[in-house]
Amino acid sequence: MPSNLPPPLFAATTTSARHINSLLKCCGFDSKACIQITSDGLRVTVEDCNVMQAHAFIDKALFNSYTFNLPSPSPSSSSPDPGESHEEEEPILFAVSLTALLECLQIFGAEAGRDKWGSGGGGTMAGGVFDQQVLRIGGSCKFEYEAVGSPLVITLDDAGVITTCTLSTWAPTLVDDIPIIRDSLTLKIIMKSTWLFDAITELSSTSVEKLQILASPSAPYFSLSASGPLGSTVVEFANDRSLLETFVVPETVQYRYRFGLIKHAVKAMAVSSKVSIRGDRRGTLSLQFMVEQDGGAPSFIDFRFLAYAADSSDEE
Amino acid sequence: MSAPTTLQFTLSPQSTQKVHEALVCLSKFSEFISLEARRNKLCLSALNSTKSAYGAVHLTANKFFDSYQYLSQNGNEEARFSCRLQAKALLSVFRQRYLDSKEKPNSIDRCEFQVDDDPSRPECRILVRLIYTHGVLKTYKLTYEDVDSMHAVFDRESADNNWTISSSLLKSYMEHFGPKAEQLDISSENGRAAFTSFTEKLIDGKEILKQPLQTSISLDTTDFEHFNVTSGTHVAISLKDFRAITLHADTLGEPVHADYSSPGRALQVHYGRDGMQCEFTLMTTPDTRGTQQHRAVVASAPQPRSRASTRQPSAAPSGYTAPRSSVSKQPTTSAVEQEGEEDYGLGMDMGIDMPPPPVPSQHISSQPQPLQPLLPKRPQSTHPPPRPPSPPLPNHASASKPLFLTYASSSSSSEHSGDEDELARGLEEFHDLVGWDTAGRAAGAPQVVAKDVELEEGALRGGRRRKTKRVVDDDEDEGNAGRKETMGTEGIAPTQTSLVKGLFD
């Protein structure tokens, strides 16, 4: 449906706006997001204090139509080539207000009841049967990004009611992805994200500042702990297949993270079905959440955290 | 299990859930929850900040727990271990989750609770371990304060009004009351009982801070499993407290019993099941509608009229219209009384802190001074006050005092050597108070005075009334100190600002 006389840089329509919305909500902890358009989909990056990042990847498959025209400025090659380009392609990057974007996507009340569990990270999982989000079946959503520097235009059509939102974009402050060194993984655990969610909720009930993650090949195996003014809490996971689907920990490691940052991932924990927890030698933690949507390929959200410096993490 | 005091018990998932529910209820009274362990039972209790409401949940060692062991330091049978924790901390451990159907497999196997009170160690920690069926272990170390618990004393024998009602029925009735209603009046007349919630109108200048609201539910006494209340008795308690209690009672599904005697004295609600005994002692506002009615009726009599008349005028301004004709003015009054109740709490507090008898005089001299002047004036306006103002106030204070005492094993341990005496005196005064209460109604003179004051000073009704009431009621000089002081702070200065401040402080 994207009828474009001068082909826009990017145009896509989808009927699963609510899924996209829920993916974006998972990283809605900051007001700004950096969106990278590639021929495979959209990569949304949100970061906090340069020590944690969240990447949500919105796959092309989530869109009914997806047109990405390589930036014409590149003198060589064919510009209007939807999709099929490759890694070398120069990605299109822009920053946009995530708050506004989320607001737009739920402008028809797609996520009315959500906030009550959302921000606090407490409570229950995503919406019940009568959640507006579930009830809302129809409705399509169109994204358009005309050219570098132009606004992001979102057109929502809900049973004939059409809303057009124009979001200003601006040049992103470029931040490199937090790297995780795959060769030196000290910890690789895959588990149901509800367990993690439960553990984090448990720890957050007392106001704590630091989360300590301990993984070892023997006894406590995998434990999360935190202490605050009211006391301390430790959640330990036994090395049980039913609990930890994958557990690769060659040696005992212990890292500390700022709890407030970890809590940014709480929404993702609540919504996703599985989480892969990886840590490298320097303590960089990656939490990759698999978010399944009914009858579709799963989407992934990746959170990366830098640990507190090792010396501070070793002292008790 | 070494030399120091050790408390250890294990809870089943069901019991853990019960503890959660109990804690939720208690946490509505106070942000602190006291835990007291004895050889054969554990008691969780909470006393609200104004000391006008107290809740306790007693857990029987051999019935409620899967295992329970309490070893005291010296092996004394009567030994107790008591401490105080933040309700928040306890609730973070005993959270709602165990029976969460969504996560069936995520259920706990058992909950282990352990305290080692070792004086040689500087840290006070309670260790709670939740063992999940699927291999997750959660360990909590909670900080606690080593504090003696306070318990309310309630004499069920002297409470001649009592009723029993199904908790689910009671809860369904409670749902009719608006969320902002503050007080609950319980009354009975001619075979019908009435639960009436009401809020007093509160005005600050032209600004309406609180809108008056009254909802009344009348039910046949046959709805009760048991109903034995003197017709015409009215008691008013805090609706919020009562609501918390009914919600909890409903989770147990056991009938709720209530015992009380007369307005101004405590009311106790209790229920229990499977080794869990819950009791809540709530102070009723001393000058309830019932009393008022009574007074109004009595008004025809020479002395009493003063009171009735006074009330009405004051009530009228509030613009409140009560459903029942006879009671129309009551709501206002009661609201005022509510404030009064709060004062009570304060009074109690102070009572605890200071020896009753000596203080009064001092206080009078220092803070309450305004009162004294007022009092004399009042009498002048209508009738000369039968008694000096000082005596009446104390009564309340004293009355409340007896309710709350530290269980300090030895009275000596408590700061005030006079505690025991105070207690005794308090009890005496309590009775006296009741007597005086009636007297006050009859006399009514002081109230009139109060009214005058109002007019003169333009003070808020609430503050003024409160004062009056107290004055009327109070008889004794002694043990009133606390009361008076309270009045001094809130009641004495009748100006609007002061009242408001008191309310919102």
Side-chain angles (χ1 to χ4, degrees):
Chain A
M1 290 50 127
S3 58
N4 14 322
L5 307 178
L9 204 52
F10 165 73
T13 51
T14 181
T15 48
S16 40
R18 71 175 173 81
H19 184 62
I20 293 173
N21 189 21
S22 76
L23 286 179
L24 291 179
K25 273 220 141 179
C26 292
C27 29
F29 55 85
D30 196 48
S31 60
K32 272 182 283 181
C34 177
I35 297 182
Q36 181 181 351
I37 305 176
T38 70
S39 49
D40 297 325
L42 303 178
R43 188 170 187 266
V44 181
T45 303
V46 187
E47 63 103 38
D48 191 356
C49 298
N50 290 338
V51 293
M52 77 84 64
Q53 288 176 339
H55 306 284
F57 192 73
I58 303 171
D59 196 272
K60 206 173 137 181
L62 289 175
F63 295 93
N64 303 44
S65 77
Y66 187 91
T67 317
F68 175 54
N69 300 305
L70 272 181
S72 33
S74 56
S76 64
S77 82
S78 53
S79 34
D81 181 12
E84 264 54 23
S85 299
H86 338 289
E87 282 82 300
E88 316 106 53
E89 82 187 20
E90 186 69 11
I92 301 297
L93 264 178
F94 60 88
V96 70
S97 160
L98 182 58
T99 325
L101 179 58
L102 288 170
E103 200 70 25
C104 295
L105 288 175
Q106 61 197 30
I107 207 157
F108 288 117
E111 292 235 315
R114 270 281 179 109
D115 281 344
K116 61 175 178 271
W117 66 267
S119 48
T124 47
M125 299 263 299
V129 190
F130 296 105
D131 196 323
Q132 292 245 28
Q133 192 187 7
V134 177
L135 295 178
R136 176 168 173 248
I137 300 159
S140 70
C141 174
K142 183 164 86 174
F143 295 81
E144 264 183 307
Y145 184 61
E146 200 74 29
V148 175
S150 58
L152 176 69
V153 179
I154 299 172
T155 312
L156 295 124
D157 182 343
D158 190 66
V161 182
I162 295 172
T163 309
T164 306
C165 312
T166 307
L167 305 178
S168 325
T169 60
W170 59 90
T173 30
L174 281 174
V175 178
D176 288 340
D177 286 359
I178 294 175
I180 182 156
I181 306 166
R182 281 162 214 270
D183 314 339
S184 72
L185 287 189
T186 51
L187 142 80
K188 185 170 197 300
I189 294 169
I190 295 179
M191 63 197 288
K192 280 188 183 157
S193 31
T194 47
W195 298 143
L196 188 61
F197 176 71
D198 183 55
I200 296 296
T201 328
E202 201 72 57
L203 298 176
S204 58
S205 47
T206 50
S207 51
V208 295
E209 200 178 306
K210 290 184 186 177
L211 170 74
Q212 177 173 307
I213 293 184
L214 179 120
S216 78
S218 59
Y221 297 108
F222 181 52
S223 87
L224 305 171
S225 56
S227 56
L230 297 181
S232 66
T233 310
V234 184
V235 181
E236 292 170 15
F237 296 88
N239 185 8
D240 185 327
R241 276 303 128 186
S242 64
L243 197 62
L244 307 175
E245 290 177 27
T246 304
F247 184 80
V248 184
V249 178
E251 56 183 283
T252 304
V253 286
Q254 183 171 323
Y255 305 119
R256 286 189 179 197
Y257 302 92
R258 210 170 102 198
F259 196 76
L261 296 177
I262 301 280
K263 278 185 86 176
H264 287 335
V266 156
K267 271 182 214 174
M269 291 175 201
V271 174
S272 61
S273 51
K274 279 187 191 175
V275 58
S276 153
I277 305 167
R278 292 175 302 165
D280 70 10
R281 207 160 285 288
R282 289 177 309 179
T284 306
L285 179 73
S286 154
L287 299 179
Q288 202 167 55
F289 297 97
M290 184 170 85
V291 182
E292 284 171 317
Q293 66 160 338
D294 4 294
S299 309
F300 293 93
I301 306 174
D302 194 359
F303 287 79
R304 300 267 171 96
F305 306 89
L306 291 183
Y308 278 103
D311 50 345
S312 76
S313 75
D314 284 340
E315 58 196 41
E316 254 308 316
Chain B
M1 280 136 301
S2 45
T5 304
T6 308
L7 168 67
Q8 257 185 330
F9 58 81
T10 310
L11 293 164
S12 67
Q14 290 75 23
S15 301
T16 314
Q17 172 68 13
K18 293 244 171 63
V19 171
H20 160 74
E21 285 155 2
L23 288 173
V24 166
C25 178
L26 290 177
S27 68
K28 290 176 183 162
F29 289 84
S30 169
E31 58 179 309
F32 292 104
I33 288 179
S34 299
L35 182 149
E36 185 177 280
R38 289 167 185 265
R39 195 173 44 82
N40 53 2
K41 73 169 187 174
L42 183 78
C43 172
L44 299 169
S45 63
L47 176 61
N48 74 357
S49 57
T50 58
K51 295 191 169 62
S52 61
Y54 163 87
V57 175
H58 301 276
L59 308 172
T60 314
N62 50 13
K63 245 178 142 183
F64 188 79
F65 301 94
D66 284 357
S67 73
Y68 183 94
Q69 187 180 36
Y70 172 62
L71 296 175
S72 71
Q73 219 160 348
N74 42 21
N76 185 348
E77 289 276 298
E78 294 303 312
R80 286 173 297 117
F81 166 76
S82 74
C83 67
R84 192 171 77 155
L85 293 99
Q86 291 249 6
K88 213 168 57 170
L90 269 178
L91 276 173
S92 71
V93 178
F94 296 95
R95 284 195 298 131
Q96 173 70 45
R97 64 183 152 201
Y98 309 108
L99 301 180
D100 192 352
S101 57
K102 191 173 12 173
E103 294 180 302
K104 259 297 187 228
N106 188 4
S107 56
I108 63 164
D109 181 52
R110 64 187 189 277
C111 168
E112 295 176 356
F113 192 104
Q114 182 180 343
V115 188
D116 294 312
D117 184 25
D118 185 347
S120 65
R121 272 183 302 170
E123 286 188 332
C124 294
R125 291 289 186 277
I126 287 178
L127 184 74
V128 187
R129 304 207 299 166
L130 294 176
I131 295 125
Y132 282 67
T133 44
H134 55 61
V136 173
L137 169 68
K138 296 179 181 174
T139 310
Y140 304 83
K141 285 180 186 165
L142 307 177
T143 49
Y144 66 85
E145 291 174 79
D146 200 355
V147 175
D148 259 330
S149 318
M150 301 244 291
H151 297 278
V153 179
F154 183 81
D155 180 16
R156 260 183 221 173
E157 297 301 312
S158 70
D160 41 6
N161 295 314
N162 44 63
W163 44 259
T164 304
I165 192 170
S166 136
S167 57
S168 59
L169 194 61
L170 189 59
K171 180 182 163 230
S172 68
Y173 287 135
M174 286 299 126
E175 284 164 0
H176 294 287
F177 297 134
K180 286 186 179 170
E182 293 170 342
Q183 297 265 302
L184 177 70
D185 176 89
I186 301 169
S187 60
S188 79
E189 215 142 350
N190 306 328
R192 293 193 71 79
F195 289 96
T196 307
S197 74
F198 56 90
T199 304
E200 173 64 1
K201 187 175 188 178
L202 183 63
I203 304 175
D204 176 21
K206 285 184 179 175
E207 197 182 350
I208 297 175
L209 299 176
K210 284 181 188 171
Q211 288 286 2
L213 176 67
Q214 173 164 340
T215 310
S216 188
I217 294 169
S218 169
L219 43 162
D220 199 285
T221 50
T222 54
D223 285 349
F224 290 80
E225 292 175 16
H226 157 84
F227 193 86
N228 172 30
V229 175
T230 315
S231 186
T233 306
H234 281 261
V235 289
I237 52 177
S238 155
L239 178 60
K240 189 172 137 271
D241 294 344
F242 194 68
R243 195 182 261 142
I245 297 167
T246 33
L247 283 179
H248 180 238
D250 187 53
T251 64
L252 291 188
E254 290 294 302
V256 176
H257 309 267
D259 294 291
Y260 54 97
S261 49
S262 56
R265 301 185 60 173
L267 171 148
Q268 186 170 71
V269 180
H270 57 103
Y271 51 87
R273 175 181 177 177
D274 298 340
M276 176 185 259
Q277 274 299 328
C278 312
E279 56 179 51
F280 297 88
T281 308
L282 310 173
M283 201 56 192
T284 61
T285 51
D287 215 4
T288 51
R289 314 168 150 218
T291 326
Q292 240 185 346
Q293 274 189 346
H294 203 176
R295 285 174 188 159
V297 176
V298 188
S300 57
Q303 283 186 348
R305 79 189 128 151
S306 62
R307 186 160 215 173
S309 63
T310 315
R311 293 258 162 161
Q312 282 189 353
S314 57
S318 71
Y320 195 100
T321 318
R324 297 178 222 157
S325 57
S326 64
V327 192
S328 63
K329 60 231 154 145
Q330 292 175 357
T332 340
T333 320
S334 45
V336 173
E337 289 163 1
Q338 174 192 358
E339 293 165 15
E341 185 183 25
E342 289 181 0
D343 287 353
Y344 266 115
L346 288 176
M348 295 178 179
D349 212 354
M350 317 200 81
I352 289 168
D353 286 346
M354 42 179 112
V359 182
S361 59
Q362 289 178 355
H363 275 285
I364 294 175
S365 61
S366 61
Q367 281 193 351
Q369 280 185 357
L371 278 184
Q372 285 192 345
L374 289 182
L375 291 172
K377 287 178 185 176
R378 298 173 186 173
Q380 289 176 359
S381 59
T382 20
H383 316 266
R387 317 157 198 123
S390 58
L393 296 178
N395 281 341
H396 287 295
S398 62
S400 42
K401 271 185 216 161
L403 286 178
F404 303 100
L405 296 171
T406 51
Y407 254 157
S409 42
S410 57
S411 56
S412 59
S413 69
S414 60
E415 287 92 328
H416 318 288
S417 55
D419 267 0
E420 283 188 350
D421 292 341
E422 184 180 2
L423 171 58
R425 185 182 297 114
L427 288 173
E428 289 176 9
E429 288 177 0
F430 197 97
H431 293 296
D432 289 346
L433 170 63
V434 178
W436 274 114
D437 212 11
T438 44
R441 287 178 206 146
Q447 288 194 354
V448 176
V449 175
K451 176 186 175 181
D452 292 342
V453 174
E454 248 185 33
L455 296 176
E456 292 174 6
E457 302 195 358
L460 279 191
R461 285 161 239 133
R464 205 174 318 108
R465 242 185 252 141
R466 216 185 297 145
K467 281 186 248 161
T468 8
K469 173 185 46 179
R470 284 178 197 160
V471 174
V472 175
D473 290 348
D474 293 326
D475 224 9
E476 306 222 347
D477 313 351
E478 317 231 335
N480 302 338
R483 207 339 173 276
K484 281 199 172 178
E485 185 172 2
T486 317
M487 291 182 57
T489 45
E490 273 195 20
I492 288 188
T495 62
Q496 289 187 351
T497 50
S498 68
L499 173 59
V500 173
K501 186 181 161 214
L503 285 177
F504 288 95
D505 261 352

